[in-house]
């Protein structure tokens, strides 16, 4: 009997199967520093204890996306070690803040399966839940991933595709206890634009670009303990259709979030991700640009000093976004677009600022 873990293939999954993932992870200030070095995020709430304390929190919380990546990384050995690609996300809810010194662990339930027509791969849907050392849920989300079959002759399971919400209801957004923007310092935050300054339908070119470096991508993915072969093993990937390692899709999400500071600098928290898809592969050497559109605005009953914006951010490779690349004239996706992310952010209201 082998003592090594080959990972699950498509035919190993069953709807209703529960996977309890290994390796709890204590998140430290060192992780925060490395994450900042990789992406350069400048959102003040996660950058300074003093700023966070002025906003009613005990300390600067861990960046929401760093929490997402670490919780996600736990799932990889059991869900996507043999993946072709991670396809998308839905109903991602950040339930409680995480602070340096907190420990997170993850479990997943298989909620859908659908074999692809080629008979070589299938799509696996899982709902994953990250909890802290006290057992409280900090993150809950659905993702779907294309996984290889080990035995192409294995019978296809009955297709089950879960019914997922189009968006997280803003009434369900979890706001950190004590959050209060009544004394918000826009100068220290680096942006004069508050909740009231954004309009539905408004588009924002985030202007800046960031080039993907092979070493930085691999360091980031190792930081999350994400062991997916497609990101690390060039010896294997040289025989793949692309001939090289794929960049982890979450790396692009974090790059786009960091770039979005220029235009959304007061969007201090990511409260939920409604949906997201990696629409084209990225590789080292590509330069990522981003633009955003305001889809919706919502009041927050749990925090009178803040509001929520539903944002759609698109990231494009080697294409500046002043023209807002999205669909081409024939209705097809612009081939430069690599990420389409729909999410809720929380930012202060102007009417209570000083």
């Amino acid at each position: 009997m082998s003592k090594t873990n080959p990972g699950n293939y498509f035919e190993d999954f069953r709807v209703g199967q529960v996977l309890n993932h290994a390796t709890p992870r204590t998140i430290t200030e060192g992780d925060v520093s490395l994450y900042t070095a990789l992406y350069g995020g400048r959102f003040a709430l996660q950058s300074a204890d003093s700023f966070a304390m002025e906003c009613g929190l005990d300390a600067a919380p861990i960046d929401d996306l760093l929490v997402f990546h670490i919780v996600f990384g736990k799932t990889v050995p059991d869900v996507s070690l043999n993946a072709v690609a991670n396809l998308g996300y839905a109903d991602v809810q950040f339930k409680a803040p995480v602070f340096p010194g907190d420990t997170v662990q993850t479990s997943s339930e298989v909620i859908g399966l659908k074999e692809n027509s080629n008979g070589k791969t299938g799509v696996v849907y899982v709902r994953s839940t990250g909890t802290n050392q006290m057992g409280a849920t900090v993150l809950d989300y659905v993702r779907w991933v294309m996984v290889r079959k080990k035995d192409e002759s294995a019978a296809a399971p009955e297709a089950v595709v879960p019914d997922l919400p189009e968006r997280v209801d803003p009434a369900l957004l979890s706001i950190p206890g004590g959050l209060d923007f009544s004394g918000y310092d826009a100068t220290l935050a680096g942006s004069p634009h508050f909740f009231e300054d954004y309009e539905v339908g408004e588009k924002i070119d985030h202007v800046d670009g960031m080039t993907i470096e092979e070493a930085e991508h691999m360091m980031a993915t190792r930081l999350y303990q994400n062991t997916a072969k497609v990101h690390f093993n060039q010896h294997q990937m040289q025989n793949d259709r692309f001939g090289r390692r794929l960049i982890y899709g979450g790396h692009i999400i974090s790059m786009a979030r960091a770039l979005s500071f220029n235009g959304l600098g007061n969007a201090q928290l990511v409260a939920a991700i409604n949906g997201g898809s990696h629409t084209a592969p990225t590789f080292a050497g590509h330069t990522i640009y981003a633009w955003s559109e305001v889809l919706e605005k919502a009041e927050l009953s749990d925090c009178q000093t803040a509001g929520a914006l539903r944002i759609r951010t698109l990231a494009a490779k080697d294409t500046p976004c002043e023209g807002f690349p999205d669909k081409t004239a024939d209705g097809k996706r612009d081939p430069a677009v690599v990420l389409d992310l729909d999410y809720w952010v929380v930012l202060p209201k102007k009417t209570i600022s000083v």
Side-chain angles (χ1 to χ4, degrees):
M1 182 177 179
S2 174
K3 292 183 172 61
T4 59
N5 173 27
N8 289 315
Y9 291 86
F10 178 71
E11 62 265 37
D12 297 322
F13 293 99
R14 300 290 181 271
V15 172
Q17 181 180 8
V18 175
L19 303 165
N20 292 309
H21 307 296
T23 319
R25 181 81 148 77
T26 300
I27 306 177
T28 69
E29 292 180 354
D31 297 319
V32 174
S33 295
L34 180 53
Y35 188 80
T36 302
L38 290 165
Y39 305 108
R42 291 179 284 159
F43 296 95
L45 198 69
Q46 290 87 30
S47 297
D49 286 342
S50 57
F51 190 94
M53 292 169 71
E54 288 293 328
C55 295
L57 304 184
D58 293 334
I62 302 296
D63 188 288
D64 304 297
L65 292 180
L66 176 55
V67 174
F68 174 81
H69 296 319
I70 289 177
V71 169
F72 180 104
K74 305 295 96 190
T75 72
V76 171
D78 302 311
V79 175
S80 50
L81 194 64
N82 296 304
V84 177
N86 191 59
L87 300 178
Y89 317 92
D91 200 21
V92 182
Q93 298 188 47
F94 295 89
K95 294 290 193 178
V98 177
F99 296 95
D102 284 345
T103 298
V104 296
Q105 62 188 61
T106 313
S107 64
S108 299
E109 180 182 358
V110 179
I111 61 172
L113 293 170
K114 187 177 187 299
E115 185 171 284
N116 290 326
S117 59
N118 62 12
K120 298 179 180 180
T121 59
V123 178
V124 180
Y125 297 81
V126 296
R127 177 175 290 278
S128 298
T129 302
T131 56
N132 64 18
Q133 69 274 15
M134 294 174 288
T137 298
V138 298
L139 175 64
D140 186 82
Y141 70 96
V142 173
R143 72 158 168 146
W144 50 103
V145 57
M146 187 187 304
V147 180
R148 294 180 175 88
K149 293 180 70 174
K150 184 175 184 179
D151 178 6
E152 294 180 10
S153 66
E158 179 183 357
V160 176
V161 178
D163 184 18
L164 299 172
E166 177 188 357
R167 87 204 213 295
V168 175
D169 187 331
L172 300 177
L173 299 180
S174 298
I175 306 303
L179 185 70
D180 182 1
F181 285 143
S182 59
Y184 192 85
D185 190 325
T187 300
L188 291 181
S191 172
H193 307 299
F194 290 81
F195 174 74
E196 295 89 342
D197 296 320
Y198 293 90
E199 300 294 336
V200 173
E202 179 179 359
K203 294 181 178 180
I204 305 164
D205 173 18
H206 298 303
V207 181
D208 307 308
M210 192 183 304
T211 301
I212 302 170
E213 303 291 351
E214 195 80 83
E216 290 179 351
H217 159 253
M218 295 187 69
M219 185 180 297
T221 313
R222 285 193 292 262
L223 174 67
Y224 317 137
Q225 296 175 319
N226 180 335
T227 57
K229 301 172 185 178
V230 294
H231 305 318
F232 294 113
N233 191 334
Q234 180 58 35
H235 183 258
Q236 172 183 298
M237 293 303 292
Q238 67 183 348
N239 298 317
D240 190 75
R241 60 187 177 126
F242 297 117
R244 59 190 304 192
R245 289 164 288 186
L246 288 170
I247 300 300
Y248 164 51
H251 194 65
I252 308 302
I253 293 175
S254 284
M255 293 177 80
R257 167 69 172 159
L259 292 169
S260 76
F261 180 88
N262 194 348
L264 287 167
N266 283 330
Q268 296 293 345
L269 295 168
V270 177
I273 298 174
N274 301 303
S277 56
H278 302 293
T279 57
T282 52
F283 303 100
H286 283 145
T287 296
I288 300 300
Y289 297 87
W291 68 274
S292 295
E293 179 180 6
V294 180
L295 300 180
E296 191 175 348
K297 299 179 70 172
E299 298 290 335
L300 296 171
S301 59
D302 292 341
C303 186
Q304 299 301 314
T305 61
L309 297 181
R310 183 182 173 191
I311 301 293
R312 179 184 178 227
T313 294
L314 279 77
K317 57 186 177 184
D318 298 336
T319 302
C321 290
E322 68 272 10
F324 307 114
D326 188 357
K327 300 290 181 65
T328 57
D330 59 4
K332 295 181 179 179
R333 174 93 54 188
D334 187 313
V337 173
V338 297
L339 172 70
D340 191 340
L341 192 69
D342 178 340
Y343 57 110
W344 287 104
V345 294
V346 174
L347 67 170
K349 288 183 174 179
K350 181 188 299 184
T351 52
I352 49 77
S353 64
V354 295

